[in-house]
Amino acid sequence: MIEIINLTKKYGSFTALNNLNLTIEKGSVFGFVGPNGAGKTTTFSILATLLAPTSGTAYVNGYDVTKDPKQVRKHIGYMPDFFGVYDQFKVHEYLDFYGASYGVPSKERQAIIPQLLELVNLTDKKDSYVDLLSRGMKQRLCLARSLIHDPEVLILDEPASGLDPRARIEMRGILQELKNMEKTIIISSHILPELSEMCDYLGIIEHGNLIASGNVNQIQSQLQANKILFVSVKQDIDNAIAFFENDLNVQLVERDDKDEQLLHVSYEGSDDDQVQLLKKAITKDIPILTFSQKQSNLEDIFMEITKGEE
Amino acid sequence: MERFFTLFINPVLNKEIKLRFRSFKSFLGIFFYLAICGLVSLAFIYIESTFGYGGFNATDSRNLFMVLAIGQLGLVTFMTPGLTAGAISGEREMQTLNILLTTQQSSTSIVLSKLFSSLAFLVLMLFASLPLYSIVFLYGGVSPSMVVITFGFQLLSMFTIGSLGVMFSTIIRKTMIATITTYAMMLFFLVGTLILFVISLRFSMAYNPGSVSGGNEYLPYLFIMLNPIVTLFTIYEPSAFSYELQATGIEWPLWSGFVISYFLIAIVALIISIRRLRPSMKVKTRKKKE
Ligand SMILES: Nc1ncnc2c1ncn2[C@@H]1O[C@H](COP(=O)(O)OP(=O)(O)OP(=O)(O)O)[C@@H](O)[C@H]1O
Ligand SMILES: [Mg+2]
């Protein structure tokens, strides 16, 4: 499990990470989303003991990254956003080297390396030189590498970047398997829909601030200032428009381009208010045919909240 | 004990040696090096025995030994910066350092492995040249202990300049700049010390005119003891620089100053590298200001 407490990182006067607080339970997959420069890599580097925070701290499996980095390293598998490979190594030698560097005994390495290659689908590349692998293959090899010492926590910085659609789906499968193995995973990406499929929980970060976190639904309600209600009425559409425009929580009422009877109501009230609104409409004899809420796309919301603050 | 052992027998060292010696280039390097040394020796012997007075005798043999030894020392000091100054920054530029730093390898073992593996090739080259010295033995004029001392000199110079190379490689991000800095350091040892020696000697002579057994003028001694070639030469020819060194009033043989200072420099450089390899994760508190 990972606990991030008041984590702040400043580069000179620039705040890359502002008082971040986050708890990731054991066995869950947490997705970290944000635009370029939001502070994802900064957070991950601190968790991987590669960067000292300016203040605050983080605990990995109960070990403080600022006080006990050696123990933290034992418990994490880290995959950086950009990484190189020793070009003269063959795939199995590459894994063997890191296994040895993590202190995995030779016998265990011999046993686990074929399993890892199997997991990331690189068994037939066992004897290739690593620099001859394609980018996506290197990415998968790096993931296998981060698992060599069987860490409980995985810190994966954009593991899916550079993967083709098929490999992305495979990556999702691998993550699912790792999740079944009770590993705690924190993963970053720019692409919200992709993450929301892979992760149990999401955190949205921007300019070093965590602006929303929770499961997908919670995020939606946290981020969505106003929901769109679709209301269709049988007749008297002008009357209906007047009614909705009268409500304090309604910001805008628009008619649909195609459907004569359909209204788009921008609404910012709570769920309870929404119930009351419908009740009131019915008592006012507005002939409501359907009343529904627009399922808005997470990506739209993400684009909405991260725009214009540059 | 076991911990000490694992410092030297560890995956990083293993990997480096494997990758370095796997290439055909390494083989070619040693081959040509030996070929050149051998040719120089043979040419020397040929010229001396054909044109020299009394053929190739013990004095010639001794001279050949000195040429070879000092040439090799020069070569070692020239090659060491290039081989070591990329040790850490090279991994950083290859983007493999981050991953290495998140493994269980201690900073000490990474730094030492990097140093020893970078120097392994030079050491191999030195040992491979040993048979050449047997030519010199054949003609006499040099004692085996001299050969051992020469080797010790070459190894220590390599170790110290190499440690400086690794240090610069750790604290400077770019291999290019680390290499230039290490070369500058090396030039200081080979040339700078000599110039400073002469200048400081002039000054001390000026203040104590005519006094040969002068006052306590440490400075010239401190400069010249950092020069590996001059120091090695004073072992071969104890009379060399004796007048100047007397002027400093220090009775210590130059080589002891060299050995002590070089070990100290190497240890300090290694400690700095080890401490700076990984960031200190400690959160800096502002309390100290109060
Ligand atoms: N060493 C550094 N010195 C100064 N500023 C830095 C340094 N490293 C990162 N930053 C700044 O910190 C901010 C956060 O960077 P970070 O790499 O964490 O972003 P990110 O969320 O990973 O972005 P991306 O999606 O592009 O990978 C950026 O504005 C970046 O310019
Ligand atoms: Mg990043």
Side-chain angles (χ1 to χ4, degrees), chain A residues 41 81 157-158:
Chain A
T41 300
D81 47 355
D157 202 352
E158 293 181 40

Side-chain angles (χ1 to χ4, degrees), chain A residues 11 14 16 34-43 81 157-158 190 205:
Chain A
Y11 292 107
F14 176 77
N36 290 134
K40 304 180 293 293
T41 300
T42 304
T43 311
D81 47 355
D157 202 352
E158 293 181 40
H190 302 117
I205 184 171

Side-chain angles (χ1 to χ4, degrees), chain A residues 55-74:
Chain A
S55 64
T57 188
Y59 293 88
V60 174
N61 271 6
Y63 295 104
D64 188 331
V65 292
T66 61
K67 298 208 176 82
D68 220 347
K70 215 172 167 194
Q71 282 299 325
V72 171
R73 289 197 276 274
K74 213 177 257 180

